[in-house]
Amino acid sequence: MTKISLLTVVVAVLASSAPANDTALVLEDHSGKDPSARVTEGPTLRGEGFQVRLGRAGTLQVEIGTDWYVLETNLSFPGDPIGWNRLGEDPTTEGSEWRVDPPVGREDGILQAAKGKHHSIERKAAIAGHRVEVSDTITNLANQDLAILYRQEWAAPTPFQPLLLAGQEIAGIRKTSENPTALLGQSDSGLGWLAEDDILRLQMEAAASANLLRISVSHFALRPGESHTFRYALYPRQKGGDYWSFINQARRDWKVNFTVQGPFDYFDLTRDMDLVRDRERLKAYLERKKLGVVAFSPWVDYDNYNYRTGRPTSREELKALGREARDAFKSVAPEILCIGCIEGNLVSLPPQAQKALWDSSPDRPQNQYPLSEPQMEILRSFDLPWNDCLLVNEDGRCRYELYYRGSGDRRIPMIAIAVYAAPGNGQHRYWMDQARFLIEEVGLDGLYIDQFSLAFNDSQRYSHENWDGRTVDVNPSAGEIARRYTDGALVGIEARRELAEYVLARGKYMLANTFPAVERMQSVPIHRFNESEWSFNLFGWEEGDKPPLAAYPCEGHLSTPISLGVRPGRDGDSRAAENYARLIHKAAIAYLRHGLLYYHYGTSIPEEGPGAGQYGALNHMFPITPLEIREGAVIGQERIVTCVSGEFRLKKRTEPLIRVFDIRGLPVSVDTEIRNQDGEWLIRLSLRDWAEIGVIE
């Protein structure tokens, strides 16, 4: 048995983007005790191949065969220094009046309660088929707002192998709400951990080493008398159960395996209207580059530069262009979905406000900036529909985006302000108005919304003019609230649901940039992706080598398994043009390495000359209803997409069609075997792994 008496892991890489009191994640002292000491007494729940026990002091233990995993839980309270109450060994903390009741076994699970001067906790553990569901309900018993640092500390008798946080072999991670998972392993077992409630997902941090894992919530508070329930699920795994089997079971439990449409790309109606108006060219375009979903730009009211007129596009202009393009696309591809685009959290200011802000600080590079105090005075002088939802930083200043469109004497600056949606506020009303315009007035098939979840970036997420009742910074030495503020990812949940429900109730399609970050949006059947192109240097590995694992694509493992593609040459690399087709398909293979499919990002593969190729497998990935995602493959009801050799199964009446394409998207012949067994097709496919893509349909 490996016994660790003192362990300190500092995850400094996380500090750069952390809020004020998150200088590091630290996993430290257990006061000489063995944190993995086995619990031998207490009420026990028995599942298939595992059992769960709660000990007298509050320790929770999961046993799988001869292996065991132990959880002890800490709750902070304010003091000089900060104090801690514990569900686990030696739970009494001096001065806290902490009392842990014995666990009670019932038909519906095991219950245990503990209570002190500042807070109480009620834990329930229950078996739900293949998983264990645990809830910790914490109540503020004080007569003032109370900060609570909530920490789960997991331990085992031997070092974890594997030890994956959000699908990655890393020592620490923060704000991983899209993939709020950990996978712990021992020689004969594995244990998957999955956050389920919104607060735990939005605030989750983790640090791990050897046989210890800490999962923390460090920005949480309650008003007097209020409660919150942290909920998480445990997935006991027998020997051989890997990360992908855990993730696929979680996907089924969260009901995220709905049909994904595609292929997808954007289409600019002011740059490319000549193509729209030439039906033969448009037909040839869609025969070569097949599209199931096309998103029209300019966007509504934002990033709406018209490259023909050199000025922003009005709604009336956009309506005319959108209707004309919709009719043209559907005349040559009747099943195609034509959608419009809106921005999630950046809104264009009125022209007079844009000019005044520009004149106050002209010629700055394209970027996002906090407003200066004189600029804040300018902003306050305008009666904006978003005055109730402006994103305000710690210094009381708003944030604006400056970008440029056009060129030469037509180049113009455009300015947008950062906001956040919440039920009934100005941005929520604006979303609904834009959605009605696209669907009811323009007559499109749905909409795309950018930067939807707000959980992706701290600087565009938190606003400091109000408190949401949960989100705080905590003084780490005294445990007191240092700062109260609003998490836009939290307060906007119901506004996001209402927008999605409006679109879906009309039988329309919705696509959102950013994967779901909260429970209440997780299984809403809209399409989600993120932008993973900056995760890879596409010249960084050889064709045929397995692409590197990257954090950002792993966020898609619990949602629609798609990611927005790459724009070769985006970083100024002069080699991009002559390798264009190769880089597009290399990126698609990199996404498949993460179990994701590829959505175009303005892709235009040349037919001849430098960088030439075809769209290949990208034309045949959709529609797909995922059954499983794997390293190198997505297994669907309608088709299988893979870049690794293997044996696959597909249920269909007729013999499957197998297509294989090389790194340029050109068709190639490979060895295959197909046979039918009890109404199911068994296919053996031999590829040049990580350099070819096969589609079985």
Side-chain angles (χ1 to χ4, degrees):
M1 176 184 294
T2 301
K3 181 175 179 179
I4 297 180
S5 60
L6 179 64
L7 171 67
T8 302
V9 179
V10 180
V11 190
V13 71
L14 305 177
S16 60
S17 60
N21 66 326
D22 280 357
T23 54
L25 294 182
V26 180
L27 188 60
E28 56 188 7
D29 191 20
H30 281 273
S31 304
K33 301 190 304 294
D34 178 5
S36 66
R38 192 165 193 168
V39 178
T40 58
E41 297 181 352
T44 303
L45 303 172
R46 290 177 172 81
E48 186 174 345
F50 66 90
Q51 61 183 22
V52 180
R53 177 176 290 128
L54 262 66
R56 172 65 182 83
T59 302
L60 183 149
Q61 178 173 282
V62 181
E63 298 180 24
I64 310 166
T66 59
D67 294 337
W68 70 90
Y69 302 79
V70 173
L71 167 65
E72 296 188 340
T73 305
N74 291 320
L75 305 174
S76 75
F77 60 87
D80 185 17
I82 187 173
W84 294 92
N85 288 324
R86 188 173 184 84
L87 288 179
E89 294 303 314
D90 300 327
T92 301
T93 302
E94 184 177 357
S96 70
E97 304 176 12
W98 184 246
R99 185 182 70 254
V100 180
D101 296 335
V104 178
R106 305 192 321 188
E107 287 188 7
D108 61 344
I110 303 174
L111 303 182
Q112 189 166 30
K115 184 177 181 180
K117 176 182 177 182
H118 299 85
H119 50 237
S120 65
I121 181 171
E122 295 181 1
R123 170 169 288 170
K124 179 179 179 181
I127 291 178
H130 52 268
R131 71 182 205 158
V132 182
E133 296 176 348
V134 186
S135 62
D136 290 341
T137 300
I138 299 171
T139 301
N140 178 5
L141 303 179
N143 59 6
Q144 60 186 3
D145 299 339
L146 181 68
I148 302 170
L149 302 179
Y150 171 81
R151 293 180 175 175
Q152 296 184 19
E153 297 185 352
W154 288 88
T158 60
F160 295 128
Q161 183 59 40
L163 199 168
L164 301 177
L165 303 179
Q168 307 156 71
E169 292 183 349
I170 52 178
I173 196 167
R174 65 180 296 273
K175 305 294 172 63
T176 178
S177 50
E178 298 86 356
N179 186 346
T181 66
L183 180 65
L184 313 176
Q186 297 185 69
S187 59
D188 292 320
S189 68
L191 183 67
W193 184 97
L194 177 67
E196 298 212 297
D197 73 275
D198 295 337
I199 296 290
L200 185 54
R201 288 182 62 172
L202 287 170
Q203 295 196 18
M204 172 187 164
E205 303 166 344
S209 182
N211 64 336
L212 298 177
L213 165 68
R214 171 179 289 170
I215 294 169
S216 305
V217 171
S218 301
H219 297 274
F220 171 71
L222 289 169
R223 292 188 172 101
E226 291 191 347
S227 301
H228 177 77
T229 300
F230 292 110
R231 291 183 294 105
Y232 50 100
L234 308 176
Y235 287 75
R237 320 297 291 168
Q238 303 297 323
K239 184 176 182 179
D242 64 1
Y243 171 77
W244 296 103
S245 64
F246 162 45
I247 281 295
N248 283 306
Q249 184 61 65
R251 289 179 60 85
R252 291 188 288 272
D253 292 343
W254 277 7
K255 298 179 173 58
V256 298
N257 287 325
F258 42 82
T259 302
V260 181
Q261 302 295 338
F264 164 89
D265 208 350
Y266 300 99
F267 190 92
D268 192 303
L269 299 181
T270 67
R271 281 176 163 163
D272 301 316
M273 206 62 185
D274 289 345
L275 176 59
V276 169
R277 290 168 177 162
D278 187 332
R279 298 299 168 89
E280 290 304 314
R281 284 181 58 212
L282 182 60
K283 181 179 179 181
Y285 170 81
L286 291 175
E287 286 176 348
R288 179 168 182 259
K289 177 185 178 181
K290 299 185 185 303
L291 292 177
V293 184
V294 58
F296 294 152
S297 60
W299 296 15
V300 182
D301 307 326
Y302 168 87
D303 199 7
N304 57 344
Y305 182 79
N306 187 319
Y307 285 88
R308 290 175 175 261
T309 66
R311 64 174 187 269
T313 307
S314 70
R315 285 199 181 189
E316 284 304 310
E317 290 173 315
L318 185 58
K319 182 193 299 186
L321 291 171
R323 288 177 172 179
E324 182 181 357
R326 173 203 63 195
D327 293 345
F329 271 87
K330 288 181 178 291
S331 72
V332 298
E335 301 302 318
I336 197 169
L337 298 174
C338 300
I339 65 175
C341 296
I342 65 176
E343 178 55 69
N345 70 317
L346 298 165
V347 294
S348 295
L349 292 172
Q352 305 94 315
Q354 292 194 46
K355 184 178 186 307
L357 289 175
W358 166 257
D359 289 343
S360 71
S361 184
D363 299 322
R364 303 182 83 174
Q366 180 168 296
N367 209 332
Q368 291 191 11
Y369 301 95
L371 272 70
S372 65
E373 188 52 42
Q375 288 176 318
M376 286 297 299
E377 289 299 319
I378 293 172
L379 190 68
R380 294 186 190 106
S381 70
F382 289 89
D383 184 17
L384 302 174
W386 309 282
N387 281 339
D388 63 348
C389 55
L390 296 171
L391 198 77
V392 178
N393 68 13
E394 300 96 319
D395 300 323
R397 297 180 181 179
C398 296
R399 182 182 185 88
Y400 76 99
E401 178 188 46
L402 170 64
Y403 60 102
Y404 298 90
R405 292 294 182 263
S407 60
D409 59 2
R410 282 190 161 191
R411 184 174 185 262
I412 63 171
M414 305 184 82
I415 293 177
I417 200 81
V419 298
Y420 63 93
N425 75 5
Q427 181 62 356
H428 180 206
R429 294 191 298 271
Y430 196 50
W431 277 356
M432 301 307 296
D433 175 68
Q434 291 177 313
R436 293 186 190 100
F437 169 73
L438 288 172
I439 291 173
E440 298 178 25
E441 293 190 43
V442 185
L444 297 182
D445 297 312
L447 62 86
Y448 162 84
I449 184 168
D450 201 45
Q451 302 195 156
F452 191 45
S453 75
L454 274 198
F456 64 94
N457 181 290
D458 286 0
S459 64
Q460 298 184 58
R461 172 175 175 176
Y462 299 113
S463 191
H464 292 260
E465 85 290 7
N466 290 309
W467 186 35
D468 61 18
R470 292 292 183 269
T471 311
V472 297
D473 287 341
V474 183
N475 181 329
S477 60
E480 298 172 336
I481 296 175
R483 180 186 290 125
R484 297 167 175 82
Y485 48 99
T486 291
D487 183 352
L490 176 65
V491 299
I493 295 172
E494 291 306 318
R496 293 182 186 91
R497 278 191 65 95
E498 183 175 333
L499 177 64
E501 288 169 356
Y502 166 81
V503 175
L504 295 174
R506 284 150 184 81
K508 302 298 184 178
Y509 168 97
M510 181 170 169
L511 171 65
N513 192 339
T514 65
F515 290 113
V518 294
E519 179 182 32
R520 283 174 279 173
M521 288 299 299
Q522 191 69 44
S523 59
V524 177
I526 63 174
H527 289 46
R528 309 293 290 265
F529 65 54
N530 71 3
E531 298 179 42
S532 290
E533 68 171 339
W534 295 102
S535 299
F536 308 104
N537 170 12
L538 294 174
F539 291 104
W541 71 93
E542 297 297 322
E543 294 170 8
D545 290 345
K546 184 164 74 170
L549 185 71
Y552 218 46
C554 289
E555 292 182 358
H557 288 168
L558 291 168
S559 183
T560 43
I562 46 180
S563 194
L564 190 62
V566 301
R567 296 163 293 172
R570 69 195 185 281
D571 55 0
D573 195 313
S574 60
R575 298 170 292 174
E578 63 187 24
N579 289 281
Y580 190 95
R582 292 179 180 274
L583 295 178
I584 292 293
H585 293 285
K586 198 173 184 183
I589 289 169
Y591 286 0
L592 276 169
R593 184 256 188 273
H594 296 80
L596 304 182
L597 300 175
Y598 190 93
Y599 263 16
H600 293 298
Y601 196 174
T603 310
S604 183
I605 298 175
E607 290 190 72
E608 57 186 19
Q614 294 296 334
Y615 289 89
L618 305 180
N619 278 343
H620 300 282
M621 292 182 172
F622 306 97
I624 188 168
T625 307
L627 299 174
E628 295 181 20
I629 63 173
R630 303 178 184 173
E631 182 181 89
V634 177
I635 312 300
Q637 289 182 6
E638 306 88 345
R639 68 196 70 233
I640 296 166
V641 184
T642 180
C643 62
V644 291
S645 306
E647 295 185 356
F648 303 93
R649 296 172 178 266
L650 187 66
K651 289 185 178 180
K652 59 176 301 187
R653 292 181 180 178
T654 58
E655 183 173 318
L657 176 63
I658 300 174
R659 297 183 173 96
V660 178
F661 303 90
D662 68 11
I663 200 70
R664 294 173 56 209
L666 303 178
V668 295
S669 298
V670 300
D671 292 335
T672 61
E673 291 181 10
I674 304 176
R675 70 180 190 276
N676 189 284
Q677 180 177 307
D678 300 326
E680 185 177 49
W681 295 95
L682 307 182
I683 304 105
R684 184 188 63 79
L685 183 60
S686 296
L687 299 175
R688 184 184 170 209
D689 290 350
W690 311 112
E692 295 174 339
I693 302 177
V695 180
I696 306 168
E697 57 183 335

